[in-house]
Amino acid sequence: MKSMIKGLLYITAGFCAAAIGIVIWGPRRTVPVSDLAHRLEDAWADHHTVA
């Protein structure tokens, strides 16, 4: 009985995680990934050049 409840809990958690992922990274994203990558690169360079 415990393993059945545990399995149901894992399945429910997986569906919730998938739903959150769809909401966060859904089709409404307006900034392309390449732009995000360039911003990250610039921020990393700024972080390492500022004394």
Side-chain angles (χ1 to χ4, degrees):
M1 184 72 171
K2 278 187 176 182
S3 65
M4 188 172 96
I5 293 172
K6 195 180 211 181
L8 195 60
L9 182 65
Y10 283 137
I11 290 171
T12 304
F15 278 123
C16 289
I20 290 171
I22 288 170
V23 168
I24 292 175
W25 294 291
R28 294 187 297 165
R29 174 179 284 186
T30 57
V31 180
V33 174
S34 59
D35 289 346
L36 293 174
H38 288 297
R39 272 200 242 159
L40 179 62
E41 184 180 352
D42 292 341
W44 183 259
D46 290 344
H47 173 73
H48 284 289
T49 55
V50 175

Short mmCIF file of all heavy atoms in Angstrom, two decimals:
data_model
loop_
_atom_site.label_atom_id
_atom_site.label_comp_id
_atom_site.label_asym_id
_atom_site.label_seq_id
_atom_site.Cartn_x
_atom_site.Cartn_y
_atom_site.Cartn_z
N MET A 1 0.82 -1.19 0.00
CA MET A 1 0.00 0.00 0.00
C MET A 1 0.86 1.26 0.00
O MET A 1 0.57 2.21 -0.70
CB MET A 1 -0.90 -0.03 1.24
CG MET A 1 -1.87 1.11 1.31
SD MET A 1 -3.15 0.89 0.07
CE MET A 1 -4.24 2.17 0.53
N LYS A 2 1.97 1.25 0.79
CA LYS A 2 2.84 2.41 0.85
C LYS A 2 3.49 2.69 -0.50
O LYS A 2 3.62 3.84 -0.91
CB LYS A 2 3.92 2.23 1.90
CG LYS A 2 3.48 2.54 3.29
CD LYS A 2 4.68 2.49 4.21
CE LYS A 2 4.29 2.90 5.61
NZ LYS A 2 5.43 2.91 6.51
N SER A 3 3.91 1.63 -1.19
CA SER A 3 4.59 1.83 -2.47
C SER A 3 3.62 2.38 -3.52
O SER A 3 4.03 3.15 -4.39
CB SER A 3 5.23 0.54 -2.96
OG SER A 3 4.23 -0.42 -3.23
N MET A 4 2.34 2.03 -3.43
CA MET A 4 1.36 2.55 -4.36
C MET A 4 1.14 4.05 -4.13
O MET A 4 1.10 4.83 -5.07
CB MET A 4 0.03 1.82 -4.20
CG MET A 4 -0.99 2.18 -5.27
SD MET A 4 -2.44 1.14 -5.17
CE MET A 4 -3.50 2.20 -4.22
N ILE A 5 1.09 4.44 -2.87
CA ILE A 5 0.92 5.86 -2.54
C ILE A 5 2.18 6.64 -2.95
O ILE A 5 2.09 7.74 -3.48
CB ILE A 5 0.63 6.03 -1.04
CG1 ILE A 5 -0.73 5.43 -0.72
CG2 ILE A 5 0.67 7.48 -0.63
CD1 ILE A 5 -1.06 5.37 0.74
N LYS A 6 3.34 6.04 -2.73
CA LYS A 6 4.59 6.68 -3.11
C LYS A 6 4.66 6.88 -4.62
O LYS A 6 5.05 7.94 -5.11
CB LYS A 6 5.76 5.82 -2.64
CG LYS A 6 7.08 6.49 -2.65
CD LYS A 6 8.14 5.50 -2.15
CE LYS A 6 9.25 6.16 -1.45
NZ LYS A 6 10.26 5.20 -1.00
N GLY A 7 4.26 5.86 -5.37
CA GLY A 7 4.25 5.97 -6.83
C GLY A 7 3.28 7.02 -7.31
O GLY A 7 3.57 7.80 -8.23
N LEU A 8 2.12 7.08 -6.68
CA LEU A 8 1.13 8.10 -7.05
C LEU A 8 1.65 9.49 -6.75
O LEU A 8 1.43 10.43 -7.51
CB LEU A 8 -0.17 7.83 -6.28
CG LEU A 8 -1.42 8.53 -6.77
CD1 LEU A 8 -1.72 8.14 -8.22
CD2 LEU A 8 -2.59 8.17 -5.88
N LEU A 9 2.36 9.62 -5.65
CA LEU A 9 2.96 10.91 -5.29
C LEU A 9 4.01 11.32 -6.32
O LEU A 9 4.05 12.48 -6.74
CB LEU A 9 3.59 10.81 -3.91
CG LEU A 9 4.22 12.08 -3.37
CD1 LEU A 9 3.17 13.15 -3.14
CD2 LEU A 9 4.96 11.79 -2.08
N TYR A 10 4.84 10.39 -6.75
CA TYR A 10 5.85 10.69 -7.77
C TYR A 10 5.21 11.09 -9.10
O TYR A 10 5.67 12.01 -9.77
CB TYR A 10 6.80 9.51 -7.97
CG TYR A 10 7.84 9.36 -6.89
CD1 TYR A 10 8.14 8.11 -6.37
CD2 TYR A 10 8.53 10.44 -6.40
CE1 TYR A 10 9.09 7.95 -5.38
CE2 TYR A 10 9.50 10.30 -5.41
CZ TYR A 10 9.76 9.06 -4.91
OH TYR A 10 10.71 8.92 -3.94
N ILE A 11 4.17 10.40 -9.49
CA ILE A 11 3.47 10.72 -10.73
C ILE A 11 2.86 12.12 -10.65
O ILE A 11 2.98 12.93 -11.58
CB ILE A 11 2.40 9.66 -11.06
CG1 ILE A 11 3.08 8.35 -11.45
CG2 ILE A 11 1.47 10.13 -12.16
CD1 ILE A 11 2.12 7.17 -11.58
N THR A 12 2.23 12.42 -9.52
CA THR A 12 1.63 13.73 -9.34
C THR A 12 2.69 14.83 -9.36
O THR A 12 2.51 15.88 -9.98
CB THR A 12 0.85 13.78 -8.00
OG1 THR A 12 -0.10 12.71 -7.99
CG2 THR A 12 0.14 15.08 -7.82
N ALA A 13 3.80 14.60 -8.69
CA ALA A 13 4.89 15.58 -8.68
C ALA A 13 5.45 15.77 -10.09
O ALA A 13 5.77 16.90 -10.48
CB ALA A 13 5.99 15.13 -7.74
N GLY A 14 5.55 14.71 -10.86
CA GLY A 14 6.03 14.82 -12.23
C GLY A 14 5.11 15.64 -13.10
O GLY A 14 5.55 16.49 -13.88
N PHE A 15 3.82 15.42 -12.97
CA PHE A 15 2.86 16.22 -13.74
C PHE A 15 2.91 17.68 -13.33
O PHE A 15 2.84 18.57 -14.19
CB PHE A 15 1.44 15.68 -13.58
CG PHE A 15 1.14 14.51 -14.46
CD1 PHE A 15 0.73 13.31 -13.91
CD2 PHE A 15 1.27 14.60 -15.84
CE1 PHE A 15 0.45 12.21 -14.72
CE2 PHE A 15 1.01 13.51 -16.66
CZ PHE A 15 0.59 12.32 -16.10
N CYS A 16 3.04 17.94 -12.05
CA CYS A 16 3.14 19.33 -11.59
C CYS A 16 4.41 20.00 -12.12
O CYS A 16 4.37 21.15 -12.56
CB CYS A 16 3.12 19.38 -10.07
SG CYS A 16 1.52 18.99 -9.36
N ALA A 17 5.51 19.29 -12.09
CA ALA A 17 6.76 19.84 -12.62
C ALA A 17 6.65 20.12 -14.11
O ALA A 17 7.13 21.15 -14.60
CB ALA A 17 7.91 18.87 -12.34
N ALA A 18 6.01 19.23 -14.84
CA ALA A 18 5.83 19.44 -16.28
C ALA A 18 4.94 20.66 -16.53
O ALA A 18 5.22 21.46 -17.43
CB ALA A 18 5.22 18.20 -16.92
N ALA A 19 3.89 20.80 -15.75
CA ALA A 19 2.99 21.95 -15.92
C ALA A 19 3.72 23.26 -15.63
O ALA A 19 3.56 24.24 -16.36
CB ALA A 19 1.77 21.80 -15.01
N ILE A 20 4.53 23.27 -14.58
CA ILE A 20 5.29 24.47 -14.26
C ILE A 20 6.29 24.79 -15.38
O ILE A 20 6.45 25.94 -15.77
CB ILE A 20 6.01 24.30 -12.90
CG1 ILE A 20 4.97 24.31 -11.79
CG2 ILE A 20 7.04 25.39 -12.68
CD1 ILE A 20 5.52 23.93 -10.43
N GLY A 21 6.93 23.75 -15.91
CA GLY A 21 7.86 23.97 -17.02
C GLY A 21 7.18 24.54 -18.25
O GLY A 21 7.71 25.43 -18.92
N ILE A 22 5.99 24.06 -18.54
CA ILE A 22 5.26 24.58 -19.70
C ILE A 22 4.87 26.03 -19.48
O ILE A 22 4.95 26.86 -20.39
CB ILE A 22 4.01 23.70 -19.97
CG1 ILE A 22 4.45 22.35 -20.53
CG2 ILE A 22 3.05 24.39 -20.94
CD1 ILE A 22 3.34 21.32 -20.63
N VAL A 23 4.46 26.36 -18.26
CA VAL A 23 4.08 27.75 -17.97
C VAL A 23 5.29 28.67 -18.07
O VAL A 23 5.22 29.74 -18.66
CB VAL A 23 3.42 27.84 -16.57
CG1 VAL A 23 3.29 29.29 -16.13
CG2 VAL A 23 2.07 27.17 -16.58
N ILE A 24 6.41 28.24 -17.49
CA ILE A 24 7.60 29.10 -17.48
C ILE A 24 8.25 29.20 -18.85
O ILE A 24 8.59 30.29 -19.31
CB ILE A 24 8.61 28.59 -16.44
CG1 ILE A 24 8.05 28.78 -15.04
CG2 ILE A 24 9.95 29.31 -16.57
CD1 ILE A 24 8.91 28.20 -13.95
N TRP A 25 8.42 28.06 -19.53
CA TRP A 25 9.11 28.06 -20.81
C TRP A 25 8.16 27.83 -21.97
O TRP A 25 8.52 27.20 -22.96
CB TRP A 25 10.18 26.97 -20.81
CG TRP A 25 11.27 27.27 -19.85
CD1 TRP A 25 12.19 28.26 -19.95
CD2 TRP A 25 11.57 26.56 -18.64
NE1 TRP A 25 13.03 28.22 -18.86
CE2 TRP A 25 12.68 27.20 -18.05
CE3 TRP A 25 11.00 25.47 -18.01
CZ2 TRP A 25 13.23 26.76 -16.85
CZ3 TRP A 25 11.55 25.05 -16.80
CH2 TRP A 25 12.64 25.68 -16.24
N GLY A 26 6.95 28.34 -21.85
CA GLY A 26 5.92 28.13 -22.86
C GLY A 26 6.14 28.94 -24.12
O GLY A 26 7.15 29.63 -24.28
N PRO A 27 5.19 28.88 -25.02
CA PRO A 27 5.32 29.56 -26.31
C PRO A 27 5.24 31.08 -26.22
O PRO A 27 5.49 31.77 -27.19
CB PRO A 27 4.13 29.01 -27.11
CG PRO A 27 3.15 28.58 -26.09
CD PRO A 27 3.96 28.13 -24.91
N ARG A 28 4.92 31.63 -25.05
CA ARG A 28 4.83 33.08 -24.93
C ARG A 28 6.17 33.74 -24.71
O ARG A 28 6.24 34.95 -24.52
CB ARG A 28 3.89 33.45 -23.78
CG ARG A 28 2.46 33.05 -24.06
CD ARG A 28 1.56 33.58 -23.00
NE ARG A 28 1.91 32.99 -21.71
CZ ARG A 28 1.48 33.47 -20.54
NH1 ARG A 28 0.72 34.52 -20.51
NH2 ARG A 28 1.83 32.89 -19.42
N ARG A 29 7.24 32.99 -24.75
CA ARG A 29 8.57 33.58 -24.56
C ARG A 29 8.84 34.55 -25.71
O ARG A 29 8.74 34.21 -26.88
CB ARG A 29 9.63 32.49 -24.53
CG ARG A 29 11.04 33.05 -24.48
CD ARG A 29 12.04 31.98 -24.43
NE ARG A 29 12.03 31.46 -23.06
CZ ARG A 29 12.88 30.57 -22.62
NH1 ARG A 29 13.78 30.10 -23.41
NH2 ARG A 29 12.83 30.15 -21.39
N THR A 30 9.20 35.79 -25.36
CA THR A 30 9.41 36.81 -26.39
C THR A 30 10.88 37.02 -26.72
O THR A 30 11.20 37.54 -27.78
CB THR A 30 8.80 38.15 -25.94
OG1 THR A 30 9.39 38.51 -24.69
CG2 THR A 30 7.29 38.02 -25.77
N VAL A 31 11.77 36.62 -25.82
CA VAL A 31 13.20 36.81 -26.04
C VAL A 31 13.79 35.50 -26.55
O VAL A 31 13.71 34.48 -25.88
CB VAL A 31 13.90 37.23 -24.73
CG1 VAL A 31 15.38 37.43 -24.97
CG2 VAL A 31 13.28 38.48 -24.18
N PRO A 32 14.38 35.53 -27.74
CA PRO A 32 15.00 34.29 -28.25
C PRO A 32 16.16 33.83 -27.36
O PRO A 32 16.80 34.64 -26.69
CB PRO A 32 15.52 34.67 -29.63
CG PRO A 32 14.82 35.93 -29.99
CD PRO A 32 14.46 36.60 -28.70
N VAL A 33 16.42 32.57 -27.39
CA VAL A 33 17.47 31.99 -26.55
C VAL A 33 18.83 32.58 -26.92
O VAL A 33 19.67 32.82 -26.04
CB VAL A 33 17.47 30.46 -26.69
CG1 VAL A 33 18.65 29.86 -25.94
CG2 VAL A 33 16.17 29.88 -26.18
N SER A 34 19.07 32.86 -28.19
CA SER A 34 20.37 33.41 -28.59
C SER A 34 20.60 34.78 -27.95
O SER A 34 21.73 35.10 -27.55
CB SER A 34 20.46 33.51 -30.11
OG SER A 34 19.43 34.34 -30.61
N ASP A 35 19.53 35.60 -27.83
CA ASP A 35 19.68 36.89 -27.16
C ASP A 35 20.01 36.71 -25.68
O ASP A 35 20.82 37.45 -25.12
CB ASP A 35 18.42 37.73 -27.31
CG ASP A 35 18.22 38.23 -28.74
OD1 ASP A 35 19.18 38.15 -29.53
OD2 ASP A 35 17.11 38.70 -29.04
N LEU A 36 19.37 35.74 -25.06
CA LEU A 36 19.67 35.46 -23.65
C LEU A 36 21.11 35.01 -23.48
O LEU A 36 21.79 35.40 -22.53
CB LEU A 36 18.72 34.40 -23.12
CG LEU A 36 17.25 34.79 -23.00
CD1 LEU A 36 16.42 33.59 -22.61
CD2 LEU A 36 17.06 35.92 -22.02
N ALA A 37 21.60 34.22 -24.42
CA ALA A 37 22.98 33.75 -24.36
C ALA A 37 23.96 34.91 -24.49
O ALA A 37 24.96 34.98 -23.77
CB ALA A 37 23.23 32.72 -25.46
N HIS A 38 23.66 35.85 -25.37
CA HIS A 38 24.54 37.01 -25.53
C HIS A 38 24.53 37.89 -24.28
O HIS A 38 25.56 38.41 -23.86
CB HIS A 38 24.14 37.83 -26.75
CG HIS A 38 24.48 37.16 -28.04
ND1 HIS A 38 25.78 36.88 -28.43
CD2 HIS A 38 23.69 36.70 -29.04
CE1 HIS A 38 25.77 36.28 -29.60
NE2 HIS A 38 24.51 36.15 -29.99
N ARG A 39 23.35 38.04 -23.68
CA ARG A 39 23.27 38.83 -22.45
C ARG A 39 24.07 38.18 -21.33
O ARG A 39 24.75 38.87 -20.57
CB ARG A 39 21.81 38.98 -22.01
CG ARG A 39 21.14 40.16 -22.63
CD ARG A 39 19.93 40.51 -21.81
NE ARG A 39 18.76 40.36 -22.65
CZ ARG A 39 17.54 40.20 -22.22
NH1 ARG A 39 17.29 40.14 -20.93
NH2 ARG A 39 16.53 40.09 -23.05
N LEU A 40 23.98 36.86 -21.23
CA LEU A 40 24.73 36.15 -20.21
C LEU A 40 26.23 36.30 -20.45
O LEU A 40 27.00 36.52 -19.52
CB LEU A 40 24.34 34.67 -20.21
CG LEU A 40 25.07 33.79 -19.22
CD1 LEU A 40 24.80 34.24 -17.80
CD2 LEU A 40 24.67 32.35 -19.41
N GLU A 41 26.64 36.21 -21.70
CA GLU A 41 28.06 36.37 -22.03
C GLU A 41 28.55 37.76 -21.66
O GLU A 41 29.63 37.91 -21.08
CB GLU A 41 28.24 36.11 -23.54
CG GLU A 41 29.67 36.14 -24.01
CD GLU A 41 29.78 35.88 -25.50
OE1 GLU A 41 28.77 35.55 -26.15
OE2 GLU A 41 30.89 36.04 -26.02
N ASP A 42 27.76 38.79 -21.96
CA ASP A 42 28.15 40.16 -21.62
C ASP A 42 28.23 40.36 -20.11
O ASP A 42 29.15 40.99 -19.60
CB ASP A 42 27.17 41.16 -22.23
CG ASP A 42 27.24 41.20 -23.75
OD1 ASP A 42 28.26 40.75 -24.32
OD2 ASP A 42 26.26 41.69 -24.37
N ALA A 43 27.26 39.82 -19.40
CA ALA A 43 27.25 39.96 -17.95
C ALA A 43 28.45 39.24 -17.33
O ALA A 43 29.06 39.74 -16.39
CB ALA A 43 25.95 39.40 -17.38
N TRP A 44 28.79 38.08 -17.87
CA TRP A 44 29.94 37.32 -17.37
C TRP A 44 31.23 38.10 -17.62
O TRP A 44 32.09 38.19 -16.73
CB TRP A 44 29.98 35.96 -18.07
CG TRP A 44 31.09 35.09 -17.57
CD1 TRP A 44 32.29 34.87 -18.18
CD2 TRP A 44 31.10 34.31 -16.37
NE1 TRP A 44 33.04 34.00 -17.44
CE2 TRP A 44 32.34 33.64 -16.32
CE3 TRP A 44 30.18 34.11 -15.36
CZ2 TRP A 44 32.67 32.80 -15.27
CZ3 TRP A 44 30.53 33.26 -14.31
CH2 TRP A 44 31.75 32.63 -14.28
N ALA A 45 31.35 38.71 -18.80
CA ALA A 45 32.54 39.49 -19.11
C ALA A 45 32.63 40.71 -18.20
O ALA A 45 33.71 41.05 -17.70
CB ALA A 45 32.53 39.92 -20.57
N ASP A 46 31.51 41.38 -17.97
CA ASP A 46 31.51 42.55 -17.09
C ASP A 46 31.88 42.17 -15.66
O ASP A 46 32.60 42.90 -14.97
CB ASP A 46 30.13 43.24 -17.09
CG ASP A 46 29.83 43.93 -18.40
OD1 ASP A 46 30.77 44.16 -19.19
OD2 ASP A 46 28.64 44.25 -18.63
N HIS A 47 31.40 41.05 -15.23
CA HIS A 47 31.66 40.59 -13.86
C HIS A 47 33.15 40.31 -13.66
O HIS A 47 33.70 40.59 -12.60
CB HIS A 47 30.86 39.33 -13.57
CG HIS A 47 31.18 38.69 -12.26
ND1 HIS A 47 30.78 39.23 -11.06
CD2 HIS A 47 31.88 37.58 -11.95
CE1 HIS A 47 31.22 38.47 -10.08
NE2 HIS A 47 31.89 37.45 -10.59
N HIS A 48 33.80 39.81 -14.69
CA HIS A 48 35.20 39.45 -14.54
C HIS A 48 36.16 40.59 -14.87
O HIS A 48 37.34 40.50 -14.57
CB HIS A 48 35.54 38.24 -15.42
CG HIS A 48 35.03 36.95 -14.83
ND1 HIS A 48 35.59 36.38 -13.73
CD2 HIS A 48 33.99 36.15 -15.17
CE1 HIS A 48 34.94 35.29 -13.41
NE2 HIS A 48 33.95 35.12 -14.27
N THR A 49 35.66 41.67 -15.47
CA THR A 49 36.55 42.79 -15.78
C THR A 49 36.44 43.90 -14.75
O THR A 49 37.31 44.73 -14.66
CB THR A 49 36.24 43.36 -17.17
OG1 THR A 49 34.87 43.73 -17.24
CG2 THR A 49 36.55 42.36 -18.26
N VAL A 50 35.39 43.93 -13.96
CA VAL A 50 35.24 44.97 -12.93
C VAL A 50 36.06 44.57 -11.72
O VAL A 50 35.97 43.45 -11.22
CB VAL A 50 33.74 45.13 -12.54
CG1 VAL A 50 33.60 46.10 -11.39
CG2 VAL A 50 32.94 45.57 -13.73
N ALA A 51 36.89 45.52 -11.26
CA ALA A 51 37.77 45.22 -10.12
C ALA A 51 37.13 45.56 -8.80
O ALA A 51 36.35 46.35 -8.62
CB ALA A 51 39.08 45.96 -10.27
#
